[in-house]
Amino acid sequence: MKKALWAFLCAATFLSDALAEEMSGAKEQTSNSLVLKNAQDALASGNYEKAFSGYHDAAVHDNNALAQFSLGLFYQNGWGRETNPVLACQWFEKAAQSGIPTAQHLTGVCFEQGTHQLEDPIAAANWFQKAAQAGHIHSYCHLANLLMTGRGFPKDPVKALELCRPAAQQGSIPAQIWMGKFYLQGDSAIRDKQEAYRWFATAAQKQAPEAFYYLGLILQADLSAKHAPREIRQMFEQAAALKYVPAYFQAGKHFYHAEPDPETNQLSAEHLAKAYLWLSASIQRSGNSEEITAAKVILEQILAVMPQTWLAELDQKVAQHLQEN
């Protein structure tokens, strides 16, 4: 039920206003609007097949852009079917051609990554520009990344920052994370770890999972800070708790290497359990083979000292966390 509600909220963010506008139009549009409303209601209740069927009919027979965009979301997120990035991009592009800003942005990503067409940074830039001008402001940061990396355009890191900064200053969380990444990992001419930390901290105040992860990486690289090990664990654990998969391994690793209990000179029970939890989650979700191998090695060491009676409860917690993902 939680997954169905999440799916509904994701779709509703993009669909509700436009659907309301469509339903207030001429009588000949009423039937089409009802089809979309029924599809949206089905999505909200978790009936993915009925929802998909309704959106598909409207997308194919009526060339409805909202329905086309919705089909892209189905294939992108795996709602009731296997994920299919190629089909997702094909539907996003159809919707983008009708002027839906988020579809235009996602089409830009598709061309940038070469998902459904050959990689084409120029085409990607065109779609990012359209999306940004239509109000999808953090698309400017994707444009900026093309300039930062020199993909399809002459490299211009200063111009890249100028493009992305206004969206970040307006409160866009993705733009704030982009600014953090630019200052942390961008062209050497503009790198500034303090500025990177500032932007990630700003996004973290809004509970952005990726921001906590990058704050952990910055602290990890500067062990001279007071209480840094504890702060590193906190950052990675916060990102992991918010289901940012790359943080699972980092959180587990840092809990395993935490300072020992001063009374027993052994890892505390809390740290041992958390190391097991996050490393187990990493093995099940990470796409990084090196991380998975390293997590398995550490887990073997944990299992050698952890009471077997803990396993059932800890495994249940891991399963519950991943099921809610």
Side-chain angles (χ1 to χ4, degrees):
M1 183 62 185
K2 289 182 179 179
K3 182 178 180 182
L5 179 58
W6 174 84
F8 169 68
L9 290 174
C10 286
T13 300
F14 308 112
L15 301 177
S16 57
D17 290 344
L19 182 57
E21 180 180 346
E22 181 178 329
M23 292 183 70
S24 66
K27 288 184 177 180
E28 58 266 24
Q29 295 180 321
T30 301
S31 177
N32 295 341
S33 298
L34 185 59
V35 169
L36 289 181
K37 183 180 184 305
N38 289 339
Q40 191 171 1
D41 290 343
L43 181 61
S45 66
N47 189 339
Y48 294 115
E49 285 306 312
K50 181 178 179 180
F52 182 88
S53 178
Y55 286 128
H56 191 270
D57 285 346
V60 173
H61 299 304
D62 303 320
N63 200 34
N64 185 285
L66 293 172
Q68 292 166 347
F69 176 66
S70 299
L71 292 180
L73 293 177
F74 270 84
Y75 285 114
Q76 180 188 65
N77 297 312
W79 294 342
R81 63 204 59 250
E82 293 293 325
T83 58
N84 189 321
V86 173
L87 286 177
C89 285
Q90 289 173 350
W91 284 114
F92 287 147
E93 187 174 4
K94 288 179 182 295
Q97 290 166 351
S98 295
I100 295 182
T102 304
Q104 292 172 334
H105 173 82
L106 292 173
T107 300
V109 174
C110 292
F111 276 104
E112 182 182 25
Q113 297 176 349
T115 304
H116 72 309
Q117 302 280 359
L118 292 176
E119 187 176 307
D120 188 341
I122 303 299
N126 288 334
W127 284 115
F128 290 143
Q129 183 76 22
K130 289 179 180 180
Q133 291 176 342
H136 198 276
I137 59 174
H138 80 258
S139 294
Y140 282 120
C141 298
H142 286 254
L143 271 174
N145 188 50
L146 295 175
L147 292 175
M148 184 69 71
T149 57
R151 291 182 58 204
F153 301 89
K155 183 181 290 189
D156 191 340
V158 174
K159 179 64 175 178
L161 292 177
E162 291 175 356
L163 269 175
C164 186
R165 184 179 286 109
Q169 291 173 333
Q170 291 178 49
S172 167
I173 293 174
Q176 291 167 350
I177 291 174
W178 270 113
M179 289 295 289
K181 288 181 178 179
F182 287 152
Y183 279 117
L184 183 65
Q185 302 170 336
D187 190 86
S188 58
I190 54 88
R191 286 184 191 174
D192 185 329
K193 191 175 293 185
Q194 290 184 334
E195 274 296 289
Y197 190 95
R198 183 176 73 85
W199 282 113
F200 287 133
T202 300
Q205 291 175 354
K206 302 172 185 176
Q207 298 298 298
E210 191 174 3
F212 286 108
Y213 174 77
Y214 277 98
L215 288 172
L217 291 182
I218 292 173
L219 291 176
Q220 181 177 250
D222 183 15
L223 295 178
S224 64
K226 188 177 180 180
H227 305 306
R230 178 167 57 85
E231 293 172 8
I232 292 170
R233 290 196 300 272
Q234 289 174 342
M235 293 300 177
F236 285 133
E237 184 177 32
Q238 185 66 24
L242 293 169
K243 299 179 172 60
Y244 188 66
V245 173
Y248 290 159
F249 175 74
Q250 293 294 335
K253 178 183 71 173
H254 282 282
F255 274 112
Y256 181 71
H257 293 296
E259 61 277 7
D261 187 314
E263 295 184 0
T264 64
N265 202 35
Q266 301 291 327
L267 196 63
S268 71
E270 178 186 3
H271 290 168
L272 190 66
K274 287 186 174 182
Y276 179 89
L277 286 169
W278 295 124
L279 290 169
S280 297
S282 178
I283 290 171
Q284 295 183 53
R285 286 292 185 269
S286 177
N288 186 318
S289 60
E290 292 183 2
E291 282 187 356
I292 293 173
T293 299
K296 288 180 178 179
V297 170
I298 299 175
L299 270 187
E300 288 181 3
Q301 298 169 354
I302 291 174
L303 290 171
V305 297
M306 191 177 74
Q308 292 293 309
T309 54
W310 292 12
L311 284 176
E313 182 178 354
L314 291 177
D315 287 339
Q316 183 178 8
K317 289 183 176 180
V318 174
Q320 181 178 358
H321 172 83
L322 296 179
Q323 185 177 13
E324 294 174 352
N325 201 0

